[in-house]
Amino acid sequence: MMDWERFYRRADYDRCAYIGGERMADLAGRLFDRVGTPDDFASVGCGPAVVPFRLAERYPDTEFFGFDLSETVVRDNNEKATVEGVENLQFAVGSLPDLDTDRQFDVVYCVATLYFVEEPRRAIESLYARVRDGGHLVLNYPNEASREQFDEEFEGRKRESFELVLSGANLISEDVVREVTGAETRNYWELVGAEDEEFADSATPCVVAEK
Ligand SMILES: C[S@@+](CC[C@H](N)C(=O)[O-])C[C@H]1O[C@@H](n2cnc3c(N)ncnc32)[C@H](O)[C@@H]1O
């Protein structure tokens, strides 16, 4: 299994957005155009938090939060926010499937993370519980198409990192998201006009559930 803490302890990790790159911040901005700019936004499994850093600059009246299981990336992100004087962005350790915060947010955003989580249903429950009424969960998850694609494309260490997906242990479908949240879901890529992007294929499903 992927050891993220060890990965981030190597001081030279890339500050990248793992799916969709830096464009993901523009796409989140399009979501805000459609559903309203949130008062607060939480990225869960935020990693180096490319999207929250970009958004915090663009939306100074929104409070941004990032949660990740890695203490190292949380500390690095908090230091970066302090050095850059970003006042509306903070990070804390938080680990799915349970998320140790009582706070709710207008948008909870979980992208490129469920691939590494053993109990996706419990994780979705916990993410959705953190969405304020009227707010939105943006959720990217592994499905059968992800497993097939990864099986064809990934080799060596990468196969170990994606062991849960490759073994089929944590695959879900849009129906599971509907069932667990009790909400209708919409395709996020379509909602933000990114359905033709290479990264937005059937192996990288991403949905929005309103609360
Ligand atoms: C591939 S990165 C994605 C980072 C970011 N969301 C993005 O899209 O660029 C996956 C992140 O999920 C975090 N992660 C993995 N398992 C997690 C869990 N159970 N709870 C919270 N974060 C987790 C890892 O530490 C890592 O930073």
Side-chain angles (χ1 to χ4, degrees):
M1 273 247 282
M2 179 75 185
D3 182 343
W4 283 100
E5 178 56 24
R6 214 170 120 205
F7 173 78
Y8 289 121
R9 273 198 210 139
R10 288 188 352 223
D12 61 346
Y13 64 85
D14 274 349
R15 286 204 155 263
C16 62
Y18 284 79
I19 290 176
E22 305 213 346
R23 281 216 50 218
M24 291 298 271
D26 296 337
L27 300 183
R30 288 197 203 158
L31 172 74
F32 299 175
D33 293 344
R34 280 165 183 65
V35 305
T37 301
D39 287 339
D40 36 26
F41 174 107
S43 171
V44 180
C46 63
V50 171
V51 169
F53 271 101
R54 280 285 162 100
L55 292 173
E57 199 182 307
R58 280 183 212 165
Y59 299 91
D61 297 331
T62 299
E63 268 190 276
F64 290 90
F65 296 81
F67 297 94
D68 200 283
L69 60 66
S70 162
E71 283 175 21
T72 301
V73 85
V74 163
R75 189 202 55 222
D76 289 355
N77 289 342
N78 274 327
E79 275 173 19
K80 181 172 154 74
T82 304
V83 167
E84 293 178 0
V86 189
E87 288 178 357
N88 57 333
L89 175 56
Q90 53 183 284
F91 298 90
V93 173
S95 184
L96 292 169
D98 300 311
L99 202 58
D100 191 18
T101 173
D102 291 335
R103 222 197 129 112
Q104 288 188 313
F105 309 89
D106 284 339
V107 175
V108 174
Y109 181 90
C110 185
V111 171
T113 297
L114 275 201
Y115 299 84
F116 309 100
V117 177
E118 276 184 55
E119 294 178 82
R121 285 173 185 261
R122 255 180 71 198
I124 295 168
E125 246 172 51
S126 153
L127 289 163
Y128 199 60
R130 308 274 49 91
V131 178
R132 190 172 292 128
D133 284 348
H136 294 81
L137 170 65
V138 176
L139 185 76
N140 155 239
Y141 55 86
N143 63 6
E144 181 55 32
S146 326
R147 192 190 63 73
E148 282 168 25
Q149 193 186 82
F150 296 1
D151 193 33
E152 269 175 35
E153 292 178 7
F154 292 177
E155 290 175 4
R157 292 275 293 274
K158 211 157 175 193
R159 290 191 79 85
E160 280 169 41
S161 309
F162 286 91
E163 180 195 309
L164 287 172
V165 178
L166 286 167
S167 69
N170 69 348
L171 305 182
I172 56 163
S173 64
E174 190 160 350
D175 282 347
V176 171
V177 185
R178 290 203 184 108
E179 203 183 292
V180 173
T181 59
E184 278 308 307
T185 48
R186 281 181 287 178
N187 182 318
Y188 179 70
W189 305 127
E190 281 174 19
L191 188 67
V192 299
E195 67 274 23
D196 294 330
E197 300 285 349
E198 209 181 319
F199 56 79
D201 64 14
S202 60
T204 318
C206 191
V207 295
V208 185
E210 188 173 350
K211 187 152 171 184

